Amino acid sequence: MQTTMFKGSVVNLAGDAVGVGDKAPIVSAVGTDLKSVEIGGAKDKIQLIVTVPSLDTDTCAAETRRFNEDVNNLDICETTVVSMDLPFASERFCTTSGIENLTVASDYLDKSVSKAYGVLMDDNKLKGLSARAVFVVDRSGTIVYKEIVKEVTSEPNYEAALDAIKEAR
């Protein structure tokens, strides 16, 4: 079983653990417009899939803003940030934070993204939320980069994720 940490305590992750070399599961989340957002599988662009617990935390907000800036000039990449926030809260966050270069989606309905990618926190006070993780999926639908951030209150390795996107061209 995969794990992460929350303030030094181990948190077990539920779902199907996927890794580099695996096909990215095709699942849906709910966009800020309440329409379905498809994640995973083969696409015309490289996918950057980012899961966070809630956009209503400083770390998640900072991470989303940073990826929004980092992918601004990457027309080869489709970026989706997935949280458990309601679509209305996600839309408000995007509006107030100027998020325009990526898609924000919610996994609140059935947690299908978190389960399919093995990042659903299964215990501790954050049970039911997504762990902080980053996946890069090439055009053929294969996962070429994966990071489950060791401490959920920490930010991911942005440079490694961006390097993986550039290498997947």
Side-chain angles (χ1 to χ4, degrees), residues 126-148:
L126 300 182
K127 182 177 182 174
L129 297 178
S130 300
R132 187 175 314 286
V134 179
F135 300 88
V136 175
V137 179
D138 71 11
R139 288 179 177 92
S140 73
T142 302
I143 297 169
V144 296
Y145 175 82
K146 172 186 175 180
E147 177 189 10
I148 294 179

Side-chain angles (χ1 to χ4, degrees), residues 30-32 34 53-55 83-93 104-109:
V30 180
T32 57
L34 300 179
S54 173
L55 297 169
S83 75
M84 291 296 176
D85 296 299
L86 292 177
F88 314 110
S90 297
E91 181 180 32
R92 183 178 61 248
F93 169 80
V104 174
S106 176
D107 203 18
Y108 83 100
L109 276 179

Side-chain angles (χ1 to χ4, degrees), residues 1-142:
M1 177 176 274
Q2 297 184 113
T3 63
T4 189
M5 304 282 282
F6 175 61
K7 297 184 178 180
S9 296
V10 174
V11 179
N12 292 303
L13 301 179
D16 300 323
V18 295
V20 172
D22 292 339
K23 289 295 184 183
I26 300 171
V27 289
S28 294
V30 180
T32 57
D33 59 0
L34 300 179
K35 293 180 181 173
S36 182
V37 175
E38 186 178 278
I39 297 162
K43 293 193 177 186
D44 290 340
K45 292 188 175 190
I46 296 161
Q47 296 173 72
L48 173 62
I49 302 167
V50 179
T51 62
V52 299
S54 173
L55 297 169
D56 198 29
T57 68
D58 292 340
T59 306
C60 297
E63 178 180 357
T64 303
R65 286 186 196 104
R66 170 78 185 265
F67 276 124
N68 185 64
E69 291 174 21
D70 288 348
V71 301
N72 185 33
N73 296 319
L74 291 177
D75 60 350
I76 60 167
C77 182
E78 174 183 292
T79 302
T80 307
V81 175
V82 181
S83 75
M84 291 296 176
D85 296 299
L86 292 177
F88 314 110
S90 297
E91 181 180 32
R92 183 178 61 248
F93 169 80
C94 290
T95 300
T96 60
S97 297
I99 304 299
E100 299 173 346
N101 304 315
L102 52 80
T103 300
V104 174
S106 176
D107 203 18
Y108 83 100
L109 276 179
D110 58 9
K111 302 176 183 351
S112 60
V113 175
S114 299
K115 290 175 184 174
Y117 285 82
V119 297
L120 182 64
M121 290 191 274
D122 199 34
D123 49 31
N124 203 298
K125 293 180 181 181
L126 300 182
K127 182 177 182 174
L129 297 178
S130 300
R132 187 175 314 286
V134 179
F135 300 88
V136 175
V137 179
D138 71 11
R139 288 179 177 92
S140 73
T142 302

Side-chain angles (χ1 to χ4, degrees), residues 146-162:
K146 172 186 175 180
E147 177 189 10
I148 294 179
V149 180
K150 291 179 185 164
E151 170 57 55
V152 77
T153 60
S154 298
E155 293 180 53
N157 184 337
Y158 298 105
E159 291 76 22
L162 293 172

